[in-house]
Amino acid sequence: MGDNRTPVTVIGLGDMGAALAGAFLAQGRQVTVWNRTAAKADALAARGALRAGTVGDAVAASPLVVVCVLDHGVVEDVLGPVSGALAGRTVVNLTNGTPEQARKAAAWADEHGIGYLDGGIMAVPPGIGTPGAFILYSGPRELFDAHREALSALGRPEYAGTDPGAAALQDLALLTGMYGMLSGVVQALALVRSAGFGPVDFATAKLVPWLGAMAAAVPHYAGQIESGDYTQGVVSRLAMQAAGLENIFRAHEDQGVSTELLAPLRALVARRLAEGHGAEDFPGVAELLGGGGATAGR
Ligand code: FVH
């Protein structure tokens, strides 16, 4: 079905789509490209990509069609009219979306005899094709295996499961972790800036090593969430952390720095304490977030 040297079509040449097409070219493949704004294909054409004049021509050029556009609505608008031409080919949709959107796209593909893998890109455009990049895929295992070599041009391929929504779910979970970290980072740097410390020096010398050390504890906390037991292996009691959190709040207020990013966390910790879990570990707040007990995707 796939490889050796399966031609690839890339639809969507924004920052990410252009990086994907470039990585396939670097792998030595025949790459056909299409983008709504045709001029975005110029640089790739100069590197040897074939320009398609229409989406229909683009999908007809390759058995493997990678699509990376703004959102799933655009995917529907662009691929919907060419479902006939896509029959018998494989679409790898690397457009960010929700698990439900991925399942809907997979059902549409199935109805039209199109192979479908949904994906989540865990890299920024300059990282595509570098060792740090990985991409999550979900859908039929045999399609993933058939196109694994081609897809490895983009970053380490990670199979997330047969449920078409699995890659999107894991992608959004990883982005959730990233935004949690970035929220803490901007809050911390606003606090040090308010006191006249340089954010760059502070980040380099102190914040990055601190976050690295704390990241090492994540598997331990994940184990507590998996077991639902926050009384074993307690690292720092919640009651102690709640007192520290109050100091964090007061220091921000004294410095004139907004606490709006921190406020929801304070509320959750207070609820967990009020329910009598002060001697347990911090990850117990997960019990207040709901969604426990699901086994989908395991
Ligand atoms: N860039 C990043 O850091 C992240 C990394 C993780 C994955 N995301 C997702 O990748 C999808 C594309 O992101 P992008 O960075 O390429 O985004 P843009 O540069 O804004 O390009 C958008 C492309 O979508 C095309 N497009 C938009 N609307 C339409 C439409 N109505 N019809 C046809 N095409 C459309 C747009 O075309 P044009 O404006 O150049 O004509 C671009 O090709 C995205 O899901 C990220 O979440 C990137």
Side-chain angles (χ1 to χ4, degrees), residues 98-218:
T98 69
E100 274 311 309
Q101 287 173 328
R103 290 182 195 114
K104 187 177 163 207
W108 168 83
D110 201 39
E111 260 171 47
H112 293 88
I114 302 163
Y116 184 85
L117 287 172
D118 203 82
I121 302 174
M122 305 321 299
V124 290
I128 291 299
T130 67
F134 67 99
I135 306 193
L136 302 159
Y137 296 94
S138 51
R141 177 82 211 200
E142 60 276 16
L143 275 188
F144 172 75
D145 288 338
H147 296 293
R148 185 184 199 130
E149 188 188 328
L151 297 173
S152 68
L154 312 177
R156 193 178 75 252
E158 291 272 352
Y159 185 65
T162 53
D163 169 11
L169 190 288
Q170 292 186 13
D171 177 7
L172 297 179
L174 290 168
L175 293 177
T176 300
M178 178 191 79
Y179 282 117
M181 182 190 74
L182 291 180
S183 302
V185 163
V186 297
Q187 187 76 51
L189 296 181
L191 183 62
V192 295
R193 183 182 61 180
S194 76
F197 296 110
V200 173
D201 283 350
F202 180 81
T204 308
K206 292 164 183 143
L207 187 55
V208 170
W210 170 242
L211 291 178
M214 292 310 295
V218 169

Side-chain angles (χ1 to χ4, degrees), residues 78-105:
V78 170
L79 296 188
V82 297
S83 57
L86 281 169
R89 303 176 197 277
T90 296
V91 169
V92 176
N93 183 10
L94 298 181
T95 304
N96 183 268
T98 69
E100 274 311 309
Q101 287 173 328
R103 290 182 195 114
K104 187 177 163 207

Side-chain angles (χ1 to χ4, degrees), residues 4-298:
N4 195 6
R5 294 288 170 254
T6 308
V8 183
T9 287
V10 178
I11 291 180
L13 301 175
D15 294 335
M16 184 50 84
L20 302 176
F24 285 127
L25 282 172
Q27 208 188 27
R29 283 174 199 275
Q30 174 184 301
V31 181
T32 301
V33 293
W34 180 89
N35 192 60
R36 177 182 63 174
T37 306
K40 289 192 186 172
D42 290 352
L44 290 159
R47 291 175 57 192
L50 305 173
R51 251 179 225 280
T54 65
V55 182
D57 288 347
V59 305
S62 315
L64 178 60
V65 177
V66 172
V67 57
C68 186
V69 288
L70 187 63
D71 58 31
H72 273 247
V74 174
V75 175
E76 286 176 26
D77 291 348
V78 170
L79 296 188
V82 297
S83 57
L86 281 169
R89 303 176 197 277
T90 296
V91 169
V92 176
N93 183 10
L94 298 181
T95 304
N96 183 268
T98 69
E100 274 311 309
Q101 287 173 328
R103 290 182 195 114
K104 187 177 163 207
W108 168 83
D110 201 39
E111 260 171 47
H112 293 88
I114 302 163
Y116 184 85
L117 287 172
D118 203 82
I121 302 174
M122 305 321 299
V124 290
I128 291 299
T130 67
F134 67 99
I135 306 193
L136 302 159
Y137 296 94
S138 51
R141 177 82 211 200
E142 60 276 16
L143 275 188
F144 172 75
D145 288 338
H147 296 293
R148 185 184 199 130
E149 188 188 328
L151 297 173
S152 68
L154 312 177
R156 193 178 75 252
E158 291 272 352
Y159 185 65
T162 53
D163 169 11
L169 190 288
Q170 292 186 13
D171 177 7
L172 297 179
L174 290 168
L175 293 177
T176 300
M178 178 191 79
Y179 282 117
M181 182 190 74
L182 291 180
S183 302
V185 163
V186 297
Q187 187 76 51
L189 296 181
L191 183 62
V192 295
R193 183 182 61 180
S194 76
F197 296 110
V200 173
D201 283 350
F202 180 81
T204 308
K206 292 164 183 143
L207 187 55
V208 170
W210 170 242
L211 291 178
M214 292 310 295
V218 169
H220 175 69
Y221 292 142
Q224 291 181 330
I225 291 176
E226 192 160 301
S227 68
D229 183 352
Y230 307 97
T231 64
Q232 301 298 313
V234 173
V235 177
S236 304
R237 289 181 314 108
L238 190 66
M240 177 280 292
Q241 296 204 48
L245 199 50
E246 286 311 307
N247 291 334
I248 291 172
F249 257 78
R250 239 175 286 140
H252 279 80
E253 284 163 2
D254 292 347
Q255 291 295 128
V257 179
S258 169
T259 54
E260 60 199 308
L261 267 174
L262 293 166
L265 178 63
R266 180 199 224 177
L268 279 171
V269 168
R271 262 173 66 201
R272 187 76 179 157
L273 267 187
E275 290 175 6
H277 300 283
E280 299 178 10
D281 225 331
F282 176 81
V285 297
E287 297 305 310
L288 300 176
L289 303 179
T295 53
R298 285 186 189 169

